[in-house]
Amino acid sequence: MVKHQDRTTMGKKRVKASAVEVSHIHEEDQSPSVTPSTDSEVKSKCVVCLGNNGCRTVHARTKLMNILIEKGKPQEALSIFNSLTEEGHKPTLLTYTTLVSALTRQKRYKSITALISEVEENGLKPDSILFNAMINAFSESGNVKEAMKIFQKMKKSGCKPTTSTFNTLMKGYGNIGKADESSKLLDLMLQDENAQPNDRTYNILIRAWCNKKNIKEAWNVVYRMVASGMYPDVVTYNTIARAYAQNGETYRAEQMIFEMQNNKVAPNERSCGIIVTGYCKEGNMTEALRFAYRMKELGVQPNLVVFNSLIKGFLDVTDTDGVDEALTLMEEFGVKPDVITFSTIMNAWSSAGLMDKCQEIFDDMVKAGIEPDAHAFSILAKGYVRAGEPGEAESLLDSMSKFGVHPNVVIFTTIISGWCSAGKMEHAARVYEKMCEIGVSANLTTYETLIWGYGEAKQPWKAEELLQVMQEKGISAERSTMQLVADAWRAIGLPSEARRIVKNVDRGAASNKTDEIPAESLEKAYRKQNLTAPYSNLLQIPGVAIPDQNGSSAAKTSIQMALKKYNSSSMFLARASIFGVLPVTVCRKQLTTMDTMHGQFVNSCKLVFIN
């Protein structure tokens, strides 16, 4: 007994050491590999494991793996698994299932497919839980074809699929837009006595059809659901209501409330949030505010999603009275603003070109005890760059560090664009180096911004050098990228070099059987690229004359007028005492409907139903 305790103690020490080692490996951006126990020279030495009596060490390590995964450390969980086999222990089915979870978090799907053979070679028979975990991994990744292969292996092994198995596959097909395949799986379930559909099954299929914007077919699934003896729940109605709202038919989404009441299903905050946000997106602020008042009679209290949507909606149509009424209602319900609310107001000031006001709102947010997030800093960085103050934008990196906020590629690229626009490429290069040092990977927009900057600085050789850097980093150059390099050479009077670059592009295009596109100027190339680039609406390439980059002067004036009423020295300060914060002001996900900046900012916001 003493020897066993000593062994367990040593195992725990080994686990601790492994965690430290993996943490170090992760810093080097490397991941520990899976070491199959069957391929290892170390055979099972644990007497308890050999006797299949339930080894305490294996149980403890498996539990530790789960804890590490929950903490977002799948690499360390993988290291724990490897240490088990290295020390001569035999993983259990639960251990392998936990391993699948770790590999899924790391998106290492190729390692998952080999696990079934390893499990069987270790004398274990995969159960439905393990198979379901594997199927879920591939379904979530969009590789439903591989998930179906696992499904076939599951049936071939004699393990019967469960309702969860079918639900996972149906969701996978729905996620990739194959609702018809999801429907076929439902028919297959109905023929299986061991896996009958449940309410989640029908809701998954309803969502799949709604995602395809085929609401009629979604209703047909509802009818099948009722015919089977089950009834729609709040998830069912919310799914269809959201589809109506996304289709610009929010009035139909509101009609779902009557449908819910007739079937004794109580609408919840999400139900109401879908409707309010839908009306706001349509610009129908009268109906949005009306329904917000109606929420009280429905027994649902408006939450921050509702109020942030209202504030954003009224700001979008420059309705100051509407903003005031939304704030008053927010006050009456005792709902305090959050980082989204403040960020929305910050963005409004930033879009109006008033960075002193934007910074003031940011400072008020901090004083109110609300911690800023990366999105709030992104608004500041974007505003300072557009105002021609890249130094102020770069200083935000230090501020982010103080708040424990990790800068992302969008913020770094925004700052780099500011320095490129100012013609100070040494500063842009310095920010890029800092970006790499802290482990933030540059993307195509980052490199194209630098290439453009070097072109403007009459340094085409440096622009071309970046093509090699991109290749080393695994970033594929687009035609627009090569065009920028060609324009950089052409700008210093070397058309032969420009033709060399374009020729390489055309050769690559020919090999891919694509249509040849004639060389364009830098401005034309970027105007075209900005229509589709991931960050095109977030970050305009500095110096390129893009129409209405910051909005027309008339638009800016109307925004300024809309915000003028909410100067922190006016009535908003009085309201602040009731909110328990300093001058507040706007919502957030909208970040940029007011100028042409949607892209990454919009996607990073929490404000759900918009976009």
Side-chain angles (χ1 to χ4, degrees):
M1 182 66 181
V2 174
K3 289 183 179 179
H4 178 70
Q5 289 177 342
D6 290 342
R7 190 187 302 118
T8 304
T9 303
M10 291 176 66
K12 290 181 179 179
K13 291 180 179 178
R14 176 64 176 268
V15 172
K16 187 174 182 180
S18 298
V20 174
E21 291 170 6
V22 175
S23 178
H24 174 69
I25 291 173
H26 181 55
E27 290 174 2
E28 297 298 321
D29 198 27
Q30 300 175 6
S31 297
S33 60
V34 183
T35 306
S37 57
T38 54
D39 294 339
S40 176
E41 295 181 359
V42 182
K43 301 298 180 180
S44 183
K45 297 178 181 179
C46 177
V47 178
V48 180
C49 287
L50 288 173
N52 294 321
N53 294 320
C55 177
R56 291 184 180 180
T57 301
V58 174
H59 176 74
R61 301 278 183 89
T62 302
K63 187 175 182 180
L64 179 57
M65 286 173 65
N66 273 310
I67 293 173
L68 291 171
I69 292 171
E70 289 175 2
K71 290 184 176 181
K73 299 178 180 180
Q75 308 92 337
E76 296 187 23
L78 186 55
S79 181
I80 298 300
F81 176 85
N82 286 336
S83 72
L84 271 176
T85 57
E86 289 168 4
E87 293 171 15
H89 291 286
K90 181 180 176 182
T92 63
L93 281 177
L94 180 58
T95 311
Y96 279 112
T97 303
T98 307
L99 175 63
V100 170
S101 179
L103 292 171
T104 302
R105 292 288 186 93
Q106 292 182 285
K107 303 184 185 302
R108 296 178 59 181
Y109 305 110
K110 289 183 179 179
S111 299
I112 294 176
T113 54
L115 285 179
I116 295 177
S117 297
E118 180 183 336
V119 170
E120 292 174 342
E121 289 171 5
N122 275 342
L124 299 172
K125 184 179 180 180
D127 59 5
S128 61
I129 298 176
L130 178 57
F131 275 119
N132 285 346
M134 293 180 173
I135 290 171
N136 179 70
F138 289 107
S139 293
E140 289 293 330
S141 70
N143 189 353
V144 189
K145 183 178 180 180
E146 192 62 38
M148 285 301 293
K149 287 182 180 179
I150 302 293
F151 176 68
Q152 296 301 332
K153 287 182 180 180
M154 180 181 188
K155 293 199 296 183
K156 190 175 181 180
S157 71
C159 185
K160 295 180 180 180
T162 64
T163 299
S164 178
T165 310
F166 284 102
N167 286 352
T168 302
L169 288 168
M170 289 173 67
K171 183 179 178 182
Y173 276 122
N175 288 342
I176 61 174
K178 293 187 176 182
D180 51 341
E181 294 296 328
S182 296
S183 294
K184 291 177 182 178
L185 283 169
L186 174 59
D187 294 334
L188 195 61
M189 287 183 76
L190 294 172
Q191 300 171 17
D192 192 324
E193 296 180 356
N194 299 302
Q196 287 298 298
N198 55 20
D199 55 351
R200 177 171 167 74
T201 309
Y202 287 105
N203 284 335
I204 288 172
L205 186 53
I206 290 167
R207 179 178 291 273
W209 284 116
C210 285
N211 288 343
K212 292 276 289 181
K213 296 184 179 180
N214 192 334
I215 304 178
K216 180 180 178 181
E217 197 60 46
W219 273 113
N220 286 335
V221 177
V222 174
Y223 302 145
R224 290 185 67 179
M225 182 181 190
V226 174
S228 70
M230 278 175 268
Y231 293 94
D233 57 12
V234 68
V235 176
T236 312
Y237 290 114
N238 285 351
T239 301
I240 297 178
R242 186 188 63 173
Y244 279 131
Q246 290 178 339
N247 199 40
E249 299 178 294
T250 305
Y251 73 95
R252 291 186 182 276
E254 185 172 354
Q255 289 173 358
M256 297 296 293
I257 298 295
F258 295 107
E259 186 80 18
M260 295 170 75
Q261 291 174 326
N262 289 338
N263 288 286
K264 298 181 179 179
V265 176
N268 57 18
E269 289 182 343
R270 182 168 177 77
S271 312
C272 298
I274 290 170
I275 295 167
V276 172
T277 305
Y279 280 131
C280 290
K281 188 176 180 180
E282 294 170 12
N284 193 344
M285 297 310 300
T286 300
E287 291 301 297
L289 189 60
R290 174 192 59 76
F291 188 82
Y293 279 107
R294 186 189 171 195
M295 287 179 67
K296 189 173 183 180
E297 68 182 59
L298 293 174
V300 182
Q301 177 165 320
N303 56 14
L304 271 169
V305 172
V306 169
F307 287 117
N308 286 342
S309 295
L310 285 172
I311 295 170
K312 177 208 178 311
F314 282 121
L315 279 170
D316 284 348
V317 298
T318 61
D319 183 346
T320 57
D321 291 333
V323 174
D324 187 33
E325 188 167 358
L327 290 169
T328 301
L329 189 61
M330 188 177 186
E331 199 177 289
E332 291 175 358
F333 278 95
V335 178
K336 292 186 177 181
D338 64 353
V339 64
I340 299 177
T341 319
F342 279 100
S343 294
T344 304
I345 301 175
M346 285 172 57
N347 184 71
W349 286 122
S350 174
S351 298
L354 300 173
M355 285 310 296
D356 55 338
K357 296 297 182 184
C358 182
Q359 183 67 57
E360 184 179 332
I361 296 300
F362 178 88
D363 295 338
D364 291 342
M365 175 173 64
V366 174
K367 291 176 183 176
I370 298 174
E371 293 188 3
D373 57 9
H375 181 71
F377 281 107
S378 293
I379 295 172
L380 286 174
K382 177 190 67 176
Y384 280 125
V385 165
R386 287 189 320 203
E389 300 180 67
E392 290 294 328
E394 186 175 352
S395 68
L396 293 173
L397 296 175
D398 293 330
S399 298
M400 294 180 77
S401 178
K402 293 177 182 177
F403 284 100
V405 179
H406 193 66
N408 55 31
V409 63
V410 177
I411 294 176
F412 273 113
T413 303
T414 301
I415 297 170
I416 288 171
S417 75
W419 286 121
C420 289
S421 183
K424 297 184 178 180
M425 292 309 297
E426 67 279 8
H427 293 298
R430 183 191 66 234
V431 174
Y432 170 77
E433 290 298 329
K434 185 173 183 178
M435 176 182 182
C436 295
E437 286 174 7
I438 68 172
V440 177
S441 299
N443 59 19
L444 179 63
T445 304
T446 311
Y447 288 112
E448 290 194 340
T449 302
L450 285 166
I451 290 171
W452 176 86
Y454 281 122
E456 288 293 292
K458 311 299 182 185
Q459 296 175 315
W461 57 92
K462 288 191 175 182
E464 189 168 346
E465 285 174 1
L466 284 171
L467 295 178
Q468 179 62 33
V469 175
M470 290 175 66
Q471 186 176 2
E472 293 172 355
K473 298 287 187 180
I475 305 294
S476 299
E478 301 280 347
R479 177 178 288 273
S480 58
T481 317
M482 305 301 287
Q483 187 63 57
L484 284 171
V485 177
D487 286 338
W489 283 112
R490 190 178 291 110
I492 64 169
L494 291 176
S496 60
E497 290 298 310
R499 286 194 294 271
R500 173 179 60 83
I501 298 297
V502 173
K503 187 176 181 181
N504 289 336
V505 175
D506 292 338
R507 186 182 300 119
S511 65
N512 290 322
K513 298 182 179 180
T514 58
D515 295 333
E516 183 175 341
I517 299 175
E520 298 171 289
S521 68
L522 173 63
E523 180 176 339
K524 288 182 180 178
Y526 262 92
R527 280 180 177 172
K528 182 176 181 180
Q529 179 199 5
N530 281 344
L531 295 176
T532 56
Y535 299 95
S536 61
N537 291 326
L538 159 72
L539 176 65
Q540 301 290 359
I541 300 301
V544 179
I546 304 295
D548 294 328
Q549 179 172 346
N550 293 324
S552 66
S553 58
K556 288 182 66 175
T557 301
S558 64
I559 293 172
Q560 290 175 2
M561 290 179 66
L563 290 170
K564 193 171 183 180
K565 182 175 180 181
Y566 299 102
N567 188 320
S568 60
S569 62
S570 66
M571 57 79 72
F572 211 78
L573 189 58
R575 173 169 273 106
S577 62
I578 302 176
F579 276 97
V581 299
L582 292 176
V584 193
T585 348
V586 196
C587 121
R588 160 179 165 201
K589 167 181 177 180
Q590 72 229 19
L591 264 181
T592 49
T593 296
M594 300 186 190
D595 51 0
T596 55
M597 329 277 283
H598 268 288
Q600 181 71 15
F601 285 152
V602 169
N603 293 331
S604 66
C605 295
K606 282 192 205 170
L607 207 45
V608 275
F609 315 109
I610 303 175
N611 262 6

